[in-house]
Each structure stands twice: as C-alpha cells, then as structure tokens.
C-alpha cells in the first residue's frame, strides 16, 4: 500500500499545557524505546488550542517525529470573531493537520456540511491538511442507511474541493454510536465504509485521487482492536479519543503491526 498509515490522537477537552508536554514526551520515549519506524507511520496528536504552543516547543526543541494539529478552525482568517481560532495561527504554530466536522462539533455546535466545506477550504488556504470527520448516528445504522447517509455528509463537506486538494485530504469515518461508548464497529464495518468512501472519491474525482486519499476509522479504538481494523485494505489509520490520553496505550495502537 502506498498510503502512509496515520495514527491520530484527538485529546478533545482533556489535558492542560503542562500535562500535554508530559504526555508527548512519554509517547515519544515509548515509541523510541520500541524502535518505532516514524518514517513508515505518521503519529499525530490533536491537543486543545491552549496546549499547542507548548507541544510545538517540545517537538521542535527535542526534534520529535510527532505531528500535531488543531481540533477545529475558523472559516475566517482574522477579525471580530470572538473565541475563534484562525488556520493561520495553527499554521504559524507548526501544525500539520486540523480536524474538521468532528461529530461533537456537528452535534454541540450545529456545524453543517456547508460550514465544514468552508472549514476544509480554510484549512487548505493556510497550508493545513484537514482531517474531515463523517459518520452516522445509531438510528441511521439501525435503519441500514449508514453508507448513503455518510456519503451524503462527505459530498456536502467537500463541496468545491479540487482534485489537487482531494489527493491530500484525510477522511475519518466515525460512527457516532461507537464514540466514547466502548462499542467498536467491527473491522468489517470499518472496511465497508472506508471502501464506500474511497469509491465515492473515485466517482467524484478519479481512481488516482481515490488511491491517495487516506481514510481513518474512529470510535472506541484500543490497542486490542487496532491491529484487525488496521489490517483492512481501505483503512489507512485510526482517530483515537480516550485511548490517546494514555501514552502507553496510544503507543501500542501506533505499533499495530509490531
Ligand atoms: O476523535 C475521536 C473519536 O471521537 C473517538 O473517540 P473514542 O476513541 O474516545 O471513542
């Protein structure tokens, strides 16, 4: 497979800047001790905004191979938007990625597909790689319309995206019913949706673009479930919430093929 695996840890609203430094240090040491091959697998953390400067100082100072990103960004570059964070600021802090449209933002902040599409554009404008989150709630899964629902969300959230941008896009499939619940979708469920997402990208752009797009699975991933999920052909990585707050556990997830 030519796509590089991406193991991403979304800390959500957990850990202050001092705790962030401790966790990233421990994560780097744990992976180093295990002779982790950082050039074969990307490892990224998504700390709260207030932690990012400290993470940057540590990563740059100690020359760590850990990437990082924001959990959200504004559609605006700057201005009178109290509480918002510009992609330009994240970029200046050395961020590589930014999450867009996480289900918690879609639910608690009513983020629409249209807004997500604007955020994806804002990310590219500032040189950030968006990690676009999509996925169905429980009632949709139970109705059996999860593939169509998720693809609809995907189409709406990438409206206006060029083929050149789409090639570098990361899409995280996160079934809402599996987030923080301990209920992991099966590896086959993850594969089914990842393949459907890739096929949709091929339809919208080309087979070549679809081959390059990375699709992650997220939802109660643990070191025990990561190997089988990562073993699936169309799954290129995982977006980990709770288990990314423990350095040992997150490092074990990153070593899914050890
Ligand atoms: O962004 C991460 C996901 O929401 C998954 O969270 P979780 O691993 O705690 O279920």
């Amino acid at each position: 497979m030519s796509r590089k695996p991406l193991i991403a840890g979304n800390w959500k609203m957990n850990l202050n800047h001092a705790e962030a430094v401790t966790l990233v240090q421990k994560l780097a040491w744990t992976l180093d001790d295990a002779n982790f091959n950082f050039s074969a697998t990307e490892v990224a953390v998504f700390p709260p905004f207030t932690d990012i400067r400290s993470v940057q100082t540590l990563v740059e100072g100690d020359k760590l191979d850990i990437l990082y990103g924001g959990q959200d960004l504004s559609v605006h570059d700057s201005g009178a938007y109290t509480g918002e964070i510009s992609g330009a600021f994240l970029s200046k802090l050395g961020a590589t990625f930014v999450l867009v449209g996480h289900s918690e933002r879609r639910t608690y902040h009513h983020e629409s597909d249209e807004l997500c599409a604007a955020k994806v554009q804002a990310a590219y404008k500032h040189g950030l790689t968006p990690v676009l989150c999509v996925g169905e709630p429980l009632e949709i899964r139970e109705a059996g319309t999860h593939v169509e629902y998720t693809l609809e969300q995907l189409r709406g959230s990438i409206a206006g995206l060029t083929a050149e941008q789409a090639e570098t896009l990361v899409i995280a499939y996160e079934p809402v019913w599996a987030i923080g619940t301990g209920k992991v979708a099966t590896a086959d469920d993850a594969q089914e949706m990842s393949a459907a997402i890739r096929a949709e990208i091929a339809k919208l752009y080309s087979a070549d673009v679809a081959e390059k797009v990375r699709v992650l699975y997220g939802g109660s991933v643990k070191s025990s479930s990561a190997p089988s999920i990562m073993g699936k052909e169309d799954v290129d990585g995982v977006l980990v919430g709770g288990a990314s707050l423990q350095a040992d556990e997150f490092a074990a997830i990153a070593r899914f093929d050890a």
Side-chain angles (χ1 to χ4, degrees):
M1 183 179 77
S2 56
R3 298 181 297 271
K4 194 181 274 192
L6 170 59
I7 307 300
N10 173 15
W11 296 356
K12 307 191 179 185
M13 197 174 72
N14 292 292
L15 309 181
N16 61 38
H17 72 282
E19 293 163 333
V21 168
T22 305
L23 176 56
V24 174
Q25 253 166 352
K26 195 171 172 206
L27 175 63
W29 289 336
T30 308
L31 290 171
D32 270 344
D33 284 352
N35 291 319
F36 186 77
N37 184 353
F38 285 98
S39 55
T41 301
E42 288 183 348
V43 179
V45 294
F46 293 79
F49 290 130
T50 48
D51 298 2
I52 295 181
R53 175 65 175 147
S54 303
V55 170
Q56 177 194 30
T57 303
L58 172 67
V59 165
E60 289 182 358
D62 289 6
K63 297 189 172 31
L64 305 181
D65 286 315
I66 308 277
L67 303 170
Y68 52 91
Q71 296 177 12
D72 180 38
L73 83 169
S74 174
V75 297
H76 305 288
D77 297 346
S78 63
Y81 303 102
T82 302
E84 296 209 23
I85 299 291
S86 168
F89 305 162
L90 292 171
S91 203
K92 188 76 179 165
L93 285 169
T96 300
F97 300 105
V98 64
L99 298 181
V100 173
H102 188 279
S103 66
E104 287 146 19
R105 305 260 350 146
R106 290 180 187 264
T107 304
Y108 305 135
H109 300 272
H110 312 290
E111 294 197 359
S112 64
D113 293 343
E114 196 184 10
L115 181 75
C116 291
K119 289 190 172 190
V120 165
Q121 284 305 323
Y124 280 117
K125 181 174 181 185
H126 296 295
L128 301 164
T129 297
V131 178
L132 172 68
C133 304
V134 291
E136 82 285 356
L138 184 61
E139 62 274 20
I140 297 289
R141 165 65 60 164
E142 284 174 347
T145 52
H146 49 284
V147 173
E148 197 31 58
Y149 177 97
T150 302
L151 295 185
E152 178 76 35
Q153 229 179 21
L154 173 68
R155 286 190 291 271
S157 305
I158 60 171
L161 196 72
T162 65
E164 198 190 4
Q165 291 171 328
E167 279 187 2
T168 61
L169 181 67
V170 179
I171 300 165
Y173 167 55
E174 298 206 315
V176 178
W177 49 271
I179 297 177
T181 59
K183 274 191 195 175
V184 195
T186 65
D188 286 339
D189 290 335
Q191 168 60 21
E192 176 198 38
M193 192 65 81
S194 301
I197 287 171
R198 200 176 303 288
E200 187 67 18
I201 295 291
K203 207 159 92 185
L204 294 171
Y205 298 94
S206 68
D208 188 49
V209 171
E211 262 309 294
K212 292 180 178 151
V213 163
R214 288 188 289 181
V215 184
L216 317 184
Y217 167 78
S220 297
V221 173
K222 305 269 180 299
S223 58
S224 53
S225 55
S228 62
I229 293 168
M230 289 300 295
K232 293 294 175 184
E233 195 186 336
D234 285 293
V235 179
D236 306 312
V238 284
L239 180 55
V240 185
S244 71
L245 300 173
Q246 308 291 333
D248 290 347
E249 177 63 4
F250 189 54
I253 292 172
R255 299 177 64 235
F256 62 91
D257 56 355

